[in-house]
C-alpha cells in the first residue's frame, strides 16, 4: 500500500521482472523457477542463485566467486539490487543449508547479514546438504518429539533449521540443574555436552549427536530412541531431586503405627506435625523450626508441592533451581531441624496431655524403625526374641521399684 520506497523496489525488482508472480490455477503468489522467466539475463542470475543455494556440496561454498560472477561482465548486476535478489533467493529456494560467518553458524539470518554477504563475501560460506530419506526420517522424528505435536506441517526443505530452532527452544525451558548436574547417565552427559558445544545444525544432527549417543544416522529408530531417552533424562533432573528429597523426609520422620506403605510423604508430614500441639509450636524460639512445622501441617495437592515449600524455607530455592549441592544442603538442614524439634519436645517442661500423646507416638515410631534395623542385622525372629527379653527386663525393673 502507498508509495513508499519499499513498494517501488518490490515492483521494479520482483513484480515487473516476473520473479514473484501469481499462479493462475491456485491463486497463490510465489517466487518462480528460472524457466518461467523471459529475460535471458535475469534467467541466468536467478538460475545461478538457485543452483548455489540448492545443489549439495561436500565442502562449504564461498560467496566470493558467486558475487564476483554476478557483478562482473557479462552480467554486470548493480550492487544495490544484489541484496534484494540474494534475500529473495534464500526465501525462494529453502534447502538444508548451514550458513556460516568466519566459520561460525548463523542462528538467524538478519538483513544486515545479507548486506554483509554482498559487501564482504569472502567471510561467508554455505554448506548445502544432500538429505536422503534416512536423514529426513531422523529430522522428522527429532522435530516431532521436541515440538510434542502429533500432526505438523513444515517445509521439508527447511527441516534442519526447524529442528535446530525447536532444540534451542527446548533447551531454554530446562531447569538450570540440567546443565550442571553430575548425576546423568554417560549417554545423556555426552548428549548434553554436544547440544551446548555445537551450534551448526548440520554438524549437530548428522555428525556430533550420532557420535555422542554412539549410534549412526543409518540406524534411525535406535538413534531416535536414544535421543528421546536423553531428552527425558534432562527434563527429569528436577524430578530426580524431588524424589531424593521425598526419601530424605520419609527416612527422617518417625510417625509410629499410623504409617503404612501406601502413605504419601505429605500425609506422613501432616501426621508428624500433628504430634506437636499449638502451645508447643508457639513457644519455639526458632522461626525456621516454627515455619517447618507450619508448612508440614498444611494440605498440599501433591508431594512435589510439599517438597518445594520445604525447600524454599530451608535452602531458599525451589527444587527446579537446585543443583547437586542443594540436595545435600536440604538433607542436612531438614534432618537437623527434625531432630531439634523432637529433642525440644522431649525435654519440654510440664508437657500437656496432647504433647505427651504425640511424643509417645513419636517414640513408638522410633522404636519401630530401630526394630526394623535390628531385624536387618540379626533376623526378625532373633530381633523379636531380643525385644521380648528387653520387655521382661523392664517389667522386672518395675516390680523391683514397686517392692
Amino acid at each position: 500500500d502507498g508509495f513508499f520506497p519499499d513498494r517501488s523496489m518490490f515492483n521494479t525488482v520482483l513484480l515487473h521482472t516476473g520473479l514473484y508472480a501469481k499462479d493462475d490455477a491456485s491463486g497463490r503468489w510465489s517466487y518462480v523457477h528460472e524457466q518461467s522467466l523471459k529475460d535471458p539475463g535475469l534467467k541466468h542470475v536467478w538460475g545461478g542463485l538457485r543452483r548455489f543455494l540448492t545443489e549439495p556440496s561436500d565442502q562449504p561454498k564461498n560467496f566470493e566467486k558467486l558475487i564476483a560472477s554476478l557483478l562482473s561482465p557479462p552480467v554486470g548486476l548493480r550492487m544495490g539490487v544484489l541484496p534484494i535478489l540474494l534475500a529473495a533467493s534464500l526465501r525462494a529456494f529453502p534447502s538444508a543449508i548451514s550458513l556460516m560467518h568466519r566459520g561460525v553458524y548463523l542462528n538467524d539470518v538478519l538483513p544486515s547479514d545479507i548486506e554483509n554477504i554482498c559487501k564482504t563475501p569472502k567471510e561467508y560460506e554455505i554448506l548445502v546438504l544432500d538429505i536422503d530419506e534416512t536423514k529426513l526420517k531422523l529430522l522428522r522424528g527429532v522435530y516431532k518429539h521436541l515440538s510434542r505435536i502429533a500432526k505438523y506441517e513444515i517445509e521439508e526443505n527447511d527441516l534442519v533449521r526447524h529442528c535446530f530452532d525447536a532444540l534451542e527452544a527446548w533447551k531454554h525451558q530446562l531447569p538450570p540443574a540440567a546443565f550442571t548436574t553430575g548425576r546423568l547417565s554417560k549417554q545423556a552427559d555426552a548428549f548434553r555436552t554436544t547440544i551446548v558445544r555445537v551450534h551448526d545444525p548440520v554438524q549437530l544432527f548428522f555428525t556430533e549427536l550420532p557420535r555422542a549417543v554412539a549410534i549412526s544416522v543409518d540406524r534411525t529408530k535406535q538413534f531416535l530412541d536414544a535421543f528421546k531417552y536423553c531428552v527425558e533424562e534432562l527434563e527429569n533432573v528436577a524430578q530426580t531431586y524431588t524424589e531424593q528429597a521425598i526419601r530424605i523426609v520419609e527416612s527422617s520422620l518417625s510417625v509410629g503405627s499410623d504409617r503404612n506403605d501406601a502413605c504419601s510423604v505429605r500425609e506422613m508430614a501432616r501426621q508428624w506435625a500433628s504430634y506437636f500441639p499449638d502451645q508447643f509450636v508457639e513457644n519455639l524460639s526458632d522461626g525456621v523450626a516454627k515455619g517447618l512445622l507450619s508448612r508440614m501441617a498444611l494440605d498440599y495437592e501433591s508431594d512435589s508441592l510439599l517438597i518445594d515449600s520445604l525447600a524454599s524455607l530451608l535452602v531458599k530455592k525451589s527444587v527446579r533451581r537446585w543443583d547437586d549441592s542443594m540436595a545435600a544442603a536440604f538433607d542436612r538442614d531438614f534432618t537437623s531441624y527434625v531432630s531439634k524439634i523432637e529433642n525440644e519436645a522431649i525435654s519440654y517442661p510440664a508437657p500437656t496431655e496432647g504433647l505427651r500423646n504425640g511424643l509417645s507416638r513419636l517414640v513408638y515410631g522410633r522404636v519401630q524403625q530401630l526394630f526394623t534395623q535390628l531385624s536387618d542385622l540379626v533376623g526378625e525372629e532373633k530381633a523379636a526374641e531380643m525385644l521380648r527379653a528387653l520387655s521382661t527386663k523392664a517389667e522386672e525393673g518395675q516390680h523391683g521399684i514397686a517392692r
Side-chain angles (χ1 to χ4, degrees), residues 42-340:
L42 187 59
K43 182 183 292 188
H44 173 79
V45 171
W46 198 238
L49 288 168
R50 180 188 61 78
R51 288 187 293 274
F52 183 81
L53 294 174
T54 61
E55 291 183 356
S57 57
D58 294 331
Q59 298 297 323
K61 303 177 184 180
N62 190 279
F63 279 89
E64 190 171 21
K65 186 177 179 181
L66 171 71
I67 300 299
S69 68
L70 295 176
L71 296 177
S72 304
V75 179
L77 197 65
R78 296 296 181 92
M79 177 59 84
V81 179
L82 183 57
I84 302 174
L85 291 178
L86 179 58
S89 63
L90 283 167
R91 297 288 296 174
F93 312 119
S95 58
I97 62 172
S98 177
L99 181 59
M100 292 166 284
H101 178 224
R102 296 178 180 175
V104 178
Y105 173 75
L106 289 177
N107 288 325
D108 190 14
V109 183
L110 303 173
S112 58
D113 294 314
I114 299 294
E115 293 179 358
N116 288 332
I117 289 173
C118 298
K119 292 176 183 177
T120 55
K122 64 181 180 181
E123 295 184 358
Y124 292 84
E125 293 179 320
I126 190 169
L127 179 64
V128 182
L129 190 70
D130 182 16
I131 298 189
D132 55 21
E133 187 58 34
T134 299
K135 291 187 176 72
L136 277 176
K137 186 177 179 181
L138 182 147
L139 291 172
R140 291 189 197 111
V142 166
Y143 183 81
K144 187 174 182 179
H145 185 69
L146 290 176
S147 64
R148 302 294 200 277
I149 300 173
K151 295 180 180 179
Y152 59 94
E153 285 187 24
I154 56 176
E155 296 180 47
E156 294 276 289
N157 287 335
D158 227 3
L159 262 176
V160 174
R161 185 169 290 275
H162 278 296
C163 285
F164 188 74
D165 289 345
L167 181 65
E168 289 297 299
W170 170 79
K171 280 164 55 179
H172 285 303
Q173 59 84 36
L174 285 175
F179 298 99
T180 59
T181 182
R183 303 182 182 191
L184 297 176
S185 65
K186 184 177 179 181
Q187 191 179 56
D189 185 44
F191 177 90
R192 176 183 63 183
T193 301
T194 301
I195 63 174
V196 170
R197 176 178 57 85
V198 181
H199 302 288
D200 182 336
V202 173
Q203 290 295 317
L204 178 67
F205 292 121
F206 302 127
T207 303
E208 297 297 337
L209 279 181
R211 182 181 300 157
V213 299
I215 300 173
S216 69
V217 173
D218 296 333
R219 298 164 60 200
T220 309
K221 185 181 183 305
Q222 291 88 339
F223 173 85
L224 289 175
D225 287 343
F227 181 89
K228 294 172 185 177
Y229 173 83
C230 293
V231 164
E232 289 165 7
E233 188 171 344
L234 286 168
E235 288 175 339
N236 291 333
V237 165
Q239 182 59 33
T240 301
Y241 288 138
T242 297
E243 292 169 358
Q244 182 180 359
I246 286 174
R247 291 193 296 271
I248 291 168
V249 173
E250 288 176 337
S251 64
S252 301
L253 300 183
S254 304
V255 294
S257 58
D258 292 343
R259 181 184 174 183
N260 59 71
D261 292 336
C263 182
S264 69
V265 71
R266 59 187 186 278
E267 291 170 334
M268 285 182 61
R270 282 200 307 273
Q271 186 175 327
W272 182 82
S274 71
Y275 295 164
F276 308 97
D278 293 340
Q279 181 184 1
F280 168 77
V281 177
E282 289 171 4
N283 288 327
L284 284 173
S285 58
D286 192 314
V288 176
K290 274 186 176 180
L292 186 68
L293 280 169
S294 174
R295 294 186 183 209
M296 292 174 73
L298 296 176
D299 187 13
Y300 295 89
E301 291 185 2
S302 67
D303 288 350
S304 60
L305 288 176
L306 165 65
I307 296 301
D308 251 350
S309 178
L310 299 181
S312 298
L313 174 69
L314 296 175
V315 296
K316 313 305 180 190
K317 285 185 178 181
S318 66
V319 176
R320 187 174 175 79
R321 301 197 61 79
W322 278 15
D323 56 27
D324 290 349
S325 66
M326 288 288 101
F330 179 85
D331 188 357
R332 181 187 64 243
D333 290 350
F334 184 80
T335 53
S336 173
Y337 275 105
V338 165
S339 178
K340 180 178 182 178

